[in-house]
Amino acid sequence: MHLAEFNIGTLKYDWEDPRVADFLNNIDRIYDIARRSPGYIWHLEGEDMEAAQLDPDGPLGGNPRTASTLSVWKDPQSLHDFTFNTVHKQFYDRKGEWYDPDQGLRFVMWWVHEGYKPTIAEAMQRFHHLEKHGNTDTAFGWDHLTK
């Protein structure tokens, strides 16, 4: 099995606002690093992700300040290493500049069969499952993997 992850947040400011410029200007750089990272398999790319985020009838609600990522990794260690042991960590540590810290849950993981690419609708179902039920084998956070 491989590991799917989805994270979502609402930016404090519009994408065009200079206060999120550093975040916006480094998205492609971070994705390039992810693609080169051991264990990276796939992520929902730019135009497809943007369309999902902006669709007012879609599972993400169409908020123009939504920022999200949906990706698949070989295993938890691969995702962990990318998240916390690459330049991505520098941007992760700055999330308070761009996101309201009171947004609550913003991240979910779940197991997928090799070769499977999850959809945004599935990601939101997993996200809501984790919100409602806490860590289960259906949807979980980092702490579930360390038990």
Side-chain angles (χ1 to χ4, degrees), residues 4-12 15 23 53 60 65-70 79 83 88 91-110 123-124 126-128 130-131 140-142:
E5 73 78 28
F6 175 68
N7 63 72
I8 184 169
T10 303
L11 295 171
K12 292 180 185 179
W15 284 98
F23 176 80
Q53 290 174 168
L60 302 182
R65 289 187 180 170
T66 296
S68 57
T69 302
L70 175 60
L79 175 59
T83 302
H88 175 277
F91 292 91
Y92 178 85
D93 288 344
R94 294 177 61 194
K95 64 185 177 277
E97 294 177 39
W98 304 306
Y99 296 98
D100 182 347
D102 298 327
Q103 289 185 38
L105 181 68
R106 294 188 32 212
F107 176 77
V108 64
M109 295 181 285
W110 67 99
M124 284 305 294
R126 302 286 182 150
F127 184 84
H128 292 307
L130 180 57
E131 278 184 317
F140 48 87
W142 288 113

Side-chain angles (χ1 to χ4, degrees), residues 15-136:
W15 284 98
E16 299 81 20
D17 191 296
R19 291 171 286 190
V20 296
D22 205 23
F23 176 80
L24 177 63
N25 293 337
N26 281 284
I27 289 174
D28 290 340
R29 176 182 176 206
I30 297 302
Y31 279 133
D32 287 344
I33 292 167
R35 285 183 198 97
R36 292 190 313 268
S37 294
Y40 167 86
I41 294 173
W42 169 87
H43 79 272
L44 188 60
E45 298 275 349
E47 287 184 10
D48 292 331
M49 179 55 85
E50 184 175 353
Q53 290 174 168
L54 295 176
D55 181 357
D57 299 319
L60 302 182
N63 184 331
R65 289 187 180 170
T66 296
S68 57
T69 302
L70 175 60
S71 62
V72 176
W73 295 80
K74 179 181 177 185
D75 53 42
Q77 190 63 50
S78 299
L79 175 59
H80 183 275
D81 288 348
F82 162 73
T83 302
F84 300 109
N85 297 330
T86 69
V87 72
H88 175 277
K89 174 79 162 70
Q90 294 173 20
F91 292 91
Y92 178 85
D93 288 344
R94 294 177 61 194
K95 64 185 177 277
E97 294 177 39
W98 304 306
Y99 296 98
D100 182 347
D102 298 327
Q103 289 185 38
L105 181 68
R106 294 188 32 212
F107 176 77
V108 64
M109 295 181 285
W110 67 99
W111 298 110
V112 296
H113 290 285
E114 290 184 23
Y116 181 75
K117 295 176 182 172
T119 65
I120 288 291
E122 177 185 358
M124 284 305 294
Q125 289 172 346
R126 302 286 182 150
F127 184 84
H128 292 307
H129 182 89
L130 180 57
E131 278 184 317
K132 184 175 182 179
H133 303 286
N135 288 322
T136 67

